[in-house]
Amino acid sequence: METPWMSRDVSALDELAALLTPQRIAARHGTRLVTLEHKERWRNLRAQQRLGDYLAGLDTTEFYLRQSDASFVDIAHRLPVSPRSRKPAYFDNIWIGPPGTVQTFHQDNHNDYVTNHNYFIQLFGWKYIAVCHPRDTFALTEGATVRGHHCDASPTDPNVWQRVPSLRHAIVGPCDLLHIPPSYWHYVQSLSVSISVSRWWFDNRLAEIIYSVGQGRWERPAIVVADTRTFVADLEEFGGACALKRVLLQLSPIARFAIITAFSEFYGKGVFDYV
């Protein structure tokens, strides 16, 4: 699970691919208003449009439906699950765009400690993907413009090939599944009209709760399902109290309060002795 792997033409995804075509999505959800970004990630242009109108012009549009919550298409029960013993929460996103859509090299990291696995599933059309190991971060970003966990290095640059020994390339098509482990850099470019789904999940429960609260997806559990000892174990796995403090100090007081409240709702009031 700690290195990228890909499964080609996964038969279990056939039905999902048949459901998520532009025509079927438009027929079922065409009146939905969506927020779009320019297909070149750093152009910083946005638009709003009804989903049906957007899908009807996919061949010629300059805009991208990037990382939209996929719950509206009701596919969670059809997606692959983590092989780990702990059942995580899943965060499913859908990506729809025209040919030439580019997601420059980026890590899915939300900060240095909140990092997720990514099951990237191609359902319609074709994409080119390049990935490289986080140990090659310095080599990849040398001479590039870096913004947080994003950089504009090109996977087609011969200098990048020479500097980044872990760089790998793939073309993914319908029903292909690519696992991108936490912190791996990846570059994605649509070669045609494309529909993809990504399923994000976290190894660590604290990271999962922090992300859930930040995305407005935290739901108070019906009962406290863990205890302080479990919190201490999860905190150690997260990187310890210092790591958690570094993350919390980057946030607003309101966000810190919301996250600590969520911890107490899940683990019990004993967490206040540690945060």
Side-chain angles (χ1 to χ4, degrees), residues 36-96:
L36 308 167
E37 298 182 6
H38 195 273
K39 67 180 184 179
E40 297 173 13
R41 177 71 183 274
W42 290 11
R43 287 282 294 276
N44 200 29
L45 295 174
R46 292 178 179 267
Q48 280 197 325
Q49 195 172 8
R50 292 192 184 277
L51 184 55
D53 295 335
Y54 171 68
L55 292 170
L58 264 182
D59 286 322
T60 57
T61 184
E62 293 293 303
F63 286 89
Y64 187 29
L65 181 61
R66 185 185 74 85
Q67 193 180 320
S68 180
D69 182 354
S71 59
F72 75 93
V73 289
D74 190 26
I75 58 172
H77 60 290
R78 300 179 184 274
L79 297 177
V81 299
S82 163
R84 304 290 171 88
S85 57
R86 183 182 77 84
K87 182 179 179 181
Y90 295 106
F91 303 91
D92 302 326
N93 298 293
I94 191 167
W95 315 70
I96 304 175

Side-chain angles (χ1 to χ4, degrees), residues 120 127-131 168-172 178 180 186-189:
F120 181 90
K127 281 184 172 176
Y128 160 77
I129 299 182
V131 299
R168 298 292 183 271
H169 313 263
I171 304 295
V172 295
L178 173 65
I180 303 172
H186 46 293
Y187 174 105
V188 185
Q189 181 171 357

